Amino acid sequence: MSSKLQLTTLAVLVSAALPAQAALYKVVEVAPGVTGNEVYGTAIQPGATTDPKGCFVDDCSDGSSYKLAGETRNRPDGFSYREEVPFAMDNSFGYIEDDYDGFEDYCFYQLGYATCEYWASDRWSSWRNETYSSNTPNSLAFIEGTAVLPTDAKNTVINSLNSSGSAIGNYSTATVRNTPINGEITGWKQGRQWATDGTYSVGSVSSRTGIGGERYYYFSKPAVWNGTTLNAVKWAYNDQQDGDYYAQGSMRDLYVDGTTFYGVGYNNYKDQHMNATIFTGSTTDLTNLSSVQINNAQVDISGDNIHSNSVATNINKNLVVVGQAKRSGGYPKNGAAADRLFIVPDASASSINASFFYGGIFFDGAGGEMGGINNFNEIVGRIDSENHREYDGKQRRQRAFIYPYGETSGVADADKAAITARRAIFKNKAWLLDDLTNGGSESTNNNQYRIYDASDINDAGVISATAVKCSGGYDSTSHNAYCGDGNGTEKVVAVKLVPIAGSDASAIEPRSYDSTATERKGAGLGFGALTILGLFGFMRKRIK
């Protein structure tokens, strides 16, 4: 037998003895059932499997047991359909009142990009349509291909799904900018809902409609619905108005332990600062919940407005809280005035302090957006994938991540082993999700997608996400591969990431980076794909 044959035979035997490289996730594209240039995944239906390792052991197939919610866009939001005030910080309404100039000023003073004319024009045109023109619908919502169209809705957003797969969110009409999809707002002009546990729902209520003559100068309060009964929660610092600034508050998520209520979001503090907050109290007196400021993430630190705003976005049954704090344009961190992601390991602690993500894929000063956390302390969102200077420069590219945080003090003894075992699947560290969709039998299908954002994760481990798709597959499996040698058509799509049964840490096959330097043409891209691709790690064309 020749030495070549012996080596070949040995290689076959060795490969047969090793576990197959099958990636950790399969990418499942979800058809929207509504029209729109770009499609975004925003939420996943809660749920678990019989095995604590979720779909990594129980075969969840294409994830059809867990519905995905999403939205379309034909243009960017003028300012977010979700936020109580423009840019999540303009509680004087000064920026937004100045029309195009205000958009450009916000970008210049709070983001610092060298591309502010483009940034402002893009968003101002959308705001002008909503404010002065036809107000044609831009955000159409859906759940697994079925449209969510409340009566007379103009723009609809879905922030989460309940256990039965119904939408929690809000919509606008010709007369009210935001009304909850479910839940009355008697005595208030606007309402937003973010999350529910089936009994209690949380969000905010506002004093004016946000339409016509009531477009500016309104205040909002955090809100809790007990069934259909609305409870407007008191502000932490009870000044409804201070000069040109109006008090704001919002609750974004909740956890109820018996009669003890925990909520997270932001509330109004001295000098009308909007600070990340943990709300605590009894379910018997929801209007008088206490507000606990999350230190290190607040606006004013040692007399300086280090942040422009901060918000706690999610809490789980282990009382782990996650959120984000927007660095002020006057105090950039490592060259960027970005939204920095933070964690509070125990909402019941005597001292509540935020720790910003750091290490591995999270470099110091990295910006991103929080997506969600499940009860296994697995966190998803998106994060900067490059660290050049944004201030006086271009936007950093971003990509989706998962961060298996591991055990915390609030984890019950019965759950510790499961959390440890699930964390081991990820080699006990955070990953860009593109690295976990590479290899094995799913490689060809998965190579059609690069994952930009992860918006939610359930206990089964299924993730709602947004991806850019190159039909038929990118030119290679690398992070920065081209679509059709840079001439292909890419589109923004909503996807589920479904764990592959039987996969473990040995299945992780990180993507490489190509070293070629030709320029991507961006054929067939609308505004959303261009915006997303401009932030993507695999996209190498300069933003002009």
Side-chain angles (χ1 to χ4, degrees):
M1 182 181 293
S2 72
S3 59
K4 181 177 180 179
L5 181 58
Q6 291 179 46
L7 289 172
T8 302
T9 304
L10 179 60
V12 170
L13 293 172
V14 169
S15 65
L18 293 173
Q21 296 295 311
L24 288 187
Y25 295 95
K26 67 177 74 174
V27 182
V28 180
E29 186 176 345
V30 177
V34 292
T35 59
N37 292 340
E38 284 83 35
V39 185
Y40 300 83
T42 63
I44 199 74
Q45 182 179 357
T49 65
T50 56
D51 193 282
K53 286 189 177 181
C55 299
F56 288 108
V57 171
D58 289 342
D59 188 354
C60 295
S61 185
D62 62 356
S64 58
S65 296
Y66 309 103
K67 296 178 181 178
L68 178 140
E71 301 159 14
T72 65
R73 292 290 190 277
N74 294 313
R75 55 186 182 275
D77 303 2
F79 76 83
S80 173
Y81 304 125
R82 292 177 159 80
E83 295 292 344
E84 283 74 19
V85 297
F87 315 124
M89 58 80 67
D90 184 18
N91 56 337
S92 72
F93 298 87
Y95 285 125
I96 202 73
E97 190 177 20
D98 287 341
D99 294 336
Y100 171 83
D101 289 342
F103 279 85
E104 189 173 23
D105 284 347
Y106 171 77
C107 181
F108 181 81
Y109 289 109
Q110 289 297 331
L111 301 177
Y113 304 150
T115 56
C116 281
E117 287 187 8
Y118 167 79
W119 188 97
S121 178
D122 217 20
R123 286 152 183 80
W124 158 244
S125 62
S126 189
W127 176 242
R128 179 175 55 192
N129 172 76
E130 185 180 343
T131 309
Y132 305 116
S133 188
S134 62
N135 194 16
T136 53
N138 183 33
S139 180
L140 302 181
F142 64 92
I143 300 174
E144 288 287 321
T146 300
V148 177
L149 295 173
T151 304
D152 300 326
K154 291 290 185 181
N155 293 299
T156 306
V157 297
I158 299 176
N159 295 315
S160 62
L161 295 175
N162 65 18
S163 58
S164 63
S166 297
I168 309 299
N170 47 273
Y171 65 96
S172 64
T173 68
T175 56
V176 180
R177 191 168 197 266
N178 281 290
T179 297
I181 294 173
N182 297 291
E184 56 88 17
I185 54 172
T186 302
W188 297 85
K189 296 295 186 70
Q190 290 189 67
R192 297 164 175 82
Q193 283 190 343
W194 285 81
T196 187
D197 67 357
T199 300
Y200 302 96
S201 302
V202 297
S204 67
V205 286
S206 299
S207 60
R208 295 194 177 197
T209 65
I211 298 290
E214 296 188 316
R215 183 169 300 282
Y216 308 115
Y217 317 128
Y218 53 82
F219 60 81
S220 62
K221 280 193 168 184
V224 182
W225 286 261
N226 183 355
T228 59
T229 302
L230 171 64
N231 299 270
V233 179
K234 66 180 182 180
W235 291 306
Y237 194 82
N238 202 35
D239 276 352
Q240 178 175 302
Q241 182 179 349
D242 183 6
D244 294 333
Y245 295 88
Y246 292 79
Q248 309 294 334
S250 179
M251 206 175 299
R252 303 296 175 85
D253 201 5
L254 75 155
Y255 177 69
V256 178
D257 184 7
T259 60
T260 301
F261 183 95
Y262 293 93
V264 297
Y266 71 85
N267 211 351
N268 181 73
Y269 290 82
K270 190 175 181 180
D271 295 328
Q272 303 303 89
H273 291 157
M274 299 154 58
N275 289 335
T277 295
I278 297 172
F279 302 89
T280 61
S282 172
T283 54
T284 61
D285 190 11
L286 292 169
T287 61
N288 288 307
L289 297 173
S290 297
S291 292
V292 181
Q293 176 182 282
I294 298 177
N295 296 319
N296 299 335
Q298 75 269 30
V299 171
D300 188 326
I301 299 177
S302 301
D304 293 319
N305 288 352
I306 301 299
H307 298 107
S308 63
N309 63 289
S310 60
V311 60
T313 57
N314 303 92
I315 184 172
N316 66 8
K317 73 174 186 178
N318 307 317
L319 301 186
V320 178
V321 176
V322 292
Q324 57 198 54
K326 166 69 173 67
R327 195 81 179 188
S328 170
Y331 294 89
K333 177 77 170 176
N334 285 348
D339 283 281
R340 299 164 63 213
L341 308 184
F342 67 76
I343 188 166
V344 177
D346 184 0
S348 66
S350 57
S351 180
I352 301 296
N353 298 289
S355 297
F356 291 98
F357 288 9
Y358 182 69
I361 64 172
F362 306 113
F363 60 86
D364 191 20
E369 183 166 339
M370 190 61 70
I373 183 172
N374 64 13
N375 289 317
F376 292 93
N377 291 348
E378 294 163 350
I379 304 165
V380 296
R382 70 174 188 260
I383 195 70
D384 287 343
S385 61
E386 56 187 12
N387 62 359
H388 64 253
R389 183 179 178 85
E390 278 192 331
Y391 224 77
D392 298 324
K394 63 177 182 177
Q395 292 171 261
R396 294 169 179 165
R397 298 150 182 164
Q398 295 183 334
R399 290 190 302 184
F401 72 86
I402 185 167
Y403 182 12
Y405 192 74
E407 284 189 33
T408 52
S409 58
V411 175
D413 289 341
D415 296 329
K416 289 180 178 178
I419 287 178
T420 299
R422 289 201 27 166
R423 189 168 189 251
I425 294 172
F426 302 95
K427 298 185 179 179
N428 304 313
K429 65 178 184 178
W431 292 88
L432 297 179
L433 280 165
D434 278 338
D435 282 325
L436 307 183
T437 63
N438 186 38
S441 60
E442 292 294 330
S443 187
T444 299
N445 173 67
N446 286 358
N447 192 45
Q448 298 182 101
Y449 306 92
R450 296 294 183 268
I451 314 302
Y452 164 67
D453 186 34
S455 57
D456 196 9
I457 183 170
N458 65 17
D459 288 346
V462 181
I463 298 169
S464 59
T466 301
V468 169
K469 179 182 182 182
C470 175
S471 293
Y474 285 89
D475 294 350
S476 74
T477 61
S478 67
H479 280 289
N480 53 346
Y482 294 122
C483 178
D485 197 29
N487 296 303
T489 298
E490 298 161 294
K491 61 180 181 178
V492 181
V493 297
V495 298
K496 295 178 189 177
L497 301 182
V498 184
I500 299 170
S503 293
D504 57 21
S506 66
I508 297 175
E509 190 174 346
R511 296 183 185 275
S512 62
Y513 286 88
D514 289 339
S515 59
T516 56
T518 56
E519 183 173 291
R520 182 189 296 272
K521 303 301 181 184
L525 296 179
F527 93 87
L530 286 171
T531 300
I532 287 178
L533 288 170
L535 296 172
F536 245 50
F538 69 89
M539 165 74 170
R540 287 169 290 178
K541 182 177 179 180
R542 282 184 60 87
I543 299 174
K544 302 244 182 351

